[in-house]
Amino acid sequence: MHRTSSFRAVYDAVLGRWPGPVEAVDLATPYGVTRVNRCGPAAAPPLVLLPGGGSTSTVWGACVAAGAARAHRVHAVDLVGDPGLSVPAPDRAIRSPGDLVGWLDAVLDGLGPQRHGPVTLAGHSYGAWIAAHYATRRPDRLGRLVLLDPTRVFAGLRPGYVLRALPVLVRPTPERIRSFLTWESRGAALDPAWLRLQEESAGFPTVRPVTGPRPDLAGLARSAGAGPRVDVLFAGLAGCHDSGRAARAAREALPGARVDVLPGVPHHALLLTAAAEIARRLF
């Protein structure tokens, strides 16, 4: 997949601000090579982090700096087919939620014999949708599931949000990406390096993301006490959905889960503007 030198330079610069040493590894999967950026104590329980669509693993840096890696071995993943350093297989694309589960199986297998303790799987936005699908099909592989403002899991997208996002999806440009993120973030101060990396992603070929039904959460609800512990945190100012309504739906679908709404923060910048609170509550 094409990467401009400027994208790689900004990616490396954002990753370079993570605290402590970061190990970059490329894991072979049936769907291509997956880049994982790892940090934290090698013998600590694994924390696998999936970014939102259009983002990269580097977006988790603020959460890592806020303490996510103190008691975990962090494995931050670049999604295959999205901007980042993962390289999709030329002859085997990810086309369904089942393919995503198979891909993530291979990623978890690739954590290797150094893995200690149960896996915590956390995702933001589209990454949370992937994580929720995985948890419903592989609950035995997870000790904990963390969903950060998940989209299309407990509620659909607002039509107005979809209309605003459509130009970015159809023909992304740096200007369109900046305009959309500025609108959705409602004036929140955005990290300039993160915003620059988002703009640089416009140079990537368009890859149609996997879509499909909402995850079937009934199995997770029935396995309370036997399946993974579930935490859900919504962004109170999210433009993509009604956070209060989504939180009520989450509590109804997963009575045993801890569900909270974090007021005053937008969806796309959640991991940046609320990193300390996320780390305190969830990691």
Side-chain angles (χ1 to χ4, degrees), residues 9-258:
V10 178
Y11 180 104
D12 288 343
V14 175
L15 189 62
R17 299 193 306 177
W18 285 32
V22 178
E23 177 190 7
V25 295
D26 291 321
L27 302 178
T29 79
Y31 300 95
V33 175
T34 298
R35 169 59 60 93
V36 180
N37 290 305
R38 309 200 289 201
C39 64
L47 170 61
V48 178
L49 303 175
L50 305 180
S55 294
T56 71
S57 58
T58 66
V59 75
W60 293 99
C63 290
V64 171
R70 287 176 190 156
H72 293 89
R73 179 64 166 171
V74 168
H75 305 266
V77 180
D78 281 348
L79 301 179
V80 171
D82 258 25
L85 302 186
S86 292
V87 182
D91 56 351
R92 190 171 183 183
I94 295 177
R95 302 187 184 278
S96 68
D99 290 342
L100 285 168
V101 170
W103 164 73
L104 198 46
D105 270 338
V107 171
L108 295 188
D109 290 343
L111 298 183
Q114 294 79 25
R115 191 176 70 187
H116 297 270
V119 173
T120 295
L121 178 62
H124 171 237
S125 189
Y126 176 61
W129 182 81
I130 296 172
H133 269 287
Y134 188 82
T136 62
R137 303 187 191 204
R138 300 287 192 271
D140 56 308
R141 298 204 69 173
L142 304 179
R144 192 175 180 195
L145 173 68
V146 177
L147 305 177
L148 299 174
D149 214 32
T151 49
R152 297 187 300 114
V153 175
F154 303 103
L157 297 176
R158 282 174 166 156
Y161 173 87
V162 175
L163 286 175
R164 291 297 294 254
L166 196 58
V168 177
L169 297 174
V170 172
R171 190 171 65 85
T173 66
E175 295 75 21
R176 288 181 173 186
I177 291 172
R178 177 181 286 269
S179 175
F180 173 71
L181 292 175
T182 301
W183 166 78
E184 198 279 331
S185 298
R186 303 192 186 193
L190 300 178
D191 176 38
W194 171 78
L195 189 56
R196 173 74 186 283
L197 187 58
Q198 293 300 110
E199 293 173 350
E200 288 289 342
S201 70
F204 276 70
T206 301
V207 176
R208 183 172 182 174
V210 174
T211 58
R214 296 182 191 178
D216 182 4
L217 302 173
L220 280 181
R222 289 194 299 269
S223 66
R229 169 186 165 189
V230 182
D231 295 271
V232 189
L233 184 61
F234 290 98
L237 290 182
C240 52
H241 49 217
D242 183 320
S243 297
R245 182 177 298 176
R248 290 191 294 273
R251 295 186 184 104
E252 182 177 346
L254 297 171
R258 177 184 175 183

